[in-house]
Amino acid sequence: MTTWTPASMPDLTGRSAVVTGANSGIGLPTALELARHGAHVVVAARDPAKGAGAVRLIRREVPDARVESGLLDLADLASVRSFAAGVREVDLLVNNAGVGLIPKGLTKDGFETHFGTNHLGHFALTGLLLPLLAARPGARVVTVSSDAYAAGRIDFDDLGLERGYGRMAAYARSKLANLLFALELQRRADRAGVDLKSVATHPGTTATNIVKVGPLQPLVRLLLKPPAAGAVPLLYAATSPDVRGGEYFGPKARLLRIARVAQSEELAARLWEVSAELTGVRFEQLTGR
C-alpha cells in the first residue's frame, strides 16, 4: 500500500474524540492531528498541569482547535468513573495511555500496576463510555498494544504476579490483554448488533516517556522513531474508511498478522469476564442485560 500520512485523514468536523495519555508521547500528536482535522478532542491526563499544557500546545498549532483537558488516572477506578461521567459525547476513544517496565507495584485498587493501568483501566473506561459510543454512527475504539504481546502469558491464578515478577513479563502480559480485549470487543459488538469498530495498534519502537533506560536514555532516544511517527497507526486506525473492526495495525499503518495466542477466543472471553468482575463494569449494551 502507498505510505499513509495524517494528511490523508478525512474531515472530522462534528466528531468527538477522547485520547488517554494525550499530554505526551504518541498521545499528543494523535490528539493534535485529530484536532487539526476538525474533531472535538478531550485530552485525558492524570496530571492536570500537563493536560492543560497539551491543550495550549495544540491551540498554538491549531488556533481554532476544539480541545479541552480532563483528569483521568487509569490506575484508580474511581477516577475512571469520575472522568467517564463528565463525557457528554464520544465517537472515537483512543486507549493509548500506559506504563511500562516499571518496578513491581499496585494500583489504587490493588491490581498489579501494568495490568491494572494498561488493561483494567481502559477496559473500565471503554465500558463506561460504551452507551455514548453506541449512540454514535461509525464509532471506533482504538487500543494501543505492542509487539511485546506475543511474549505475554496470563495466569488467572496469579494476576498479582506473586509467584515471580519481571518488568518485561508484566508489560508483555498487559499488552496481550490489550489486544485480546480489542478483538473480543469487536466480536461482542458484532453479536449485539452495535455499530462499533474496535481496532488495535502497535506504534513501533518510539521515543516516549515509557522508555526509561537511565544514563543511556538520550542516546537510545536518538535511535527511536519520534512520537509523531508512532502516532501514524493510531490515526490510521481511528480515521481511515478502509479499516475494519478486529484489525491490528503497526508502523506506517501496515496491517499486522496476529499471533495465535491473541486469537484465542476462549482466553479472550475468560479475560473479559475476569476484568468485568474486577472492575464492576459489565458492558450491558453488549450483553442484553
Side-chain angles (χ1 to χ4, degrees):
M1 60 179 288
T2 301
T3 300
W4 185 92
T5 72
S8 304
M9 290 169 58
D11 180 16
L12 301 175
T13 301
R15 309 290 277 179
S16 296
V18 170
V19 183
T20 70
N23 57 284
S24 65
I26 60 176
L28 181 53
T30 297
L32 171 61
E33 291 301 331
L34 292 172
R36 194 193 307 277
H37 287 80
H40 170 253
V41 180
V42 178
V43 171
R46 64 180 177 178
D47 185 318
K50 291 181 179 178
V55 169
R56 289 193 297 271
L57 187 152
I58 292 171
R59 285 182 175 155
R60 283 199 298 271
E61 292 283 327
V62 186
D64 60 348
R66 297 176 62 238
V67 59
E68 61 183 288
S69 62
L71 178 62
L72 172 65
D73 183 353
L74 290 162
D76 180 355
L77 290 176
S79 174
V80 175
R81 290 183 178 277
S82 177
F83 173 83
V87 178
R88 294 293 172 259
E89 65 177 26
V90 57
D91 301 89
L92 169 64
L93 171 61
V94 180
N95 290 325
N96 160 73
V99 296
L101 311 179
I102 60 175
K104 185 176 182 180
L106 300 176
T107 68
K108 187 169 183 180
D109 303 282
F111 307 123
E112 186 277 315
T113 306
H114 290 87
F115 188 74
T117 304
N118 298 354
H119 169 62
L120 292 177
H122 281 127
F123 177 92
L125 179 64
T126 305
L128 293 168
L129 293 181
L130 185 61
L132 297 177
L133 289 161
R136 303 290 286 183
R140 296 191 192 190
V141 177
V142 177
T143 300
V144 178
S145 183
S146 163
D147 60 355
Y149 83 87
R153 297 293 181 269
I154 300 177
D155 180 352
F156 291 100
D157 294 324
D158 188 25
L159 289 178
L161 298 182
E162 299 300 327
R163 297 172 187 167
Y165 179 83
R167 298 186 188 198
M168 179 53 75
Y171 177 70
R173 181 182 70 163
S174 73
K175 294 290 104 178
L176 173 59
N178 285 149
L179 186 50
L180 287 166
F181 166 64
L183 301 179
E184 182 67 6
L185 176 59
Q186 188 63 59
R187 285 190 286 264
R188 294 187 180 227
D190 289 345
R191 289 198 294 266
V194 174
D195 182 12
L196 176 75
K197 288 182 181 179
S198 175
V199 189
T201 66
H202 160 50
T205 50
T206 308
T208 70
N209 290 337
I210 207 168
V211 179
K212 295 180 174 64
V213 288
L216 294 179
Q217 183 166 334
L219 176 60
V220 171
R221 283 178 174 267
L222 290 175
L223 303 177
L224 303 179
K225 294 186 303 183
V232 166
L234 278 73
L235 292 165
Y236 180 81
T239 66
S240 173
D242 298 327
V243 168
R244 296 181 297 178
E247 292 184 321
Y248 178 43
F249 294 95
K252 299 183 180 180
R254 290 174 178 159
L255 185 64
L256 299 179
R257 173 185 170 274
I258 299 174
R260 183 176 300 177
V261 64
Q263 293 183 34
S264 171
E265 295 188 21
E266 180 181 359
L267 179 60
R270 185 174 183 191
L271 175 65
W272 186 286
E273 296 306 325
V274 168
S275 300
E277 185 67 28
L278 292 174
T279 63
V281 177
R282 298 291 177 177
F283 289 72
E284 286 82 1
Q285 288 75 18
L286 305 184
T287 63
R289 295 197 295 271

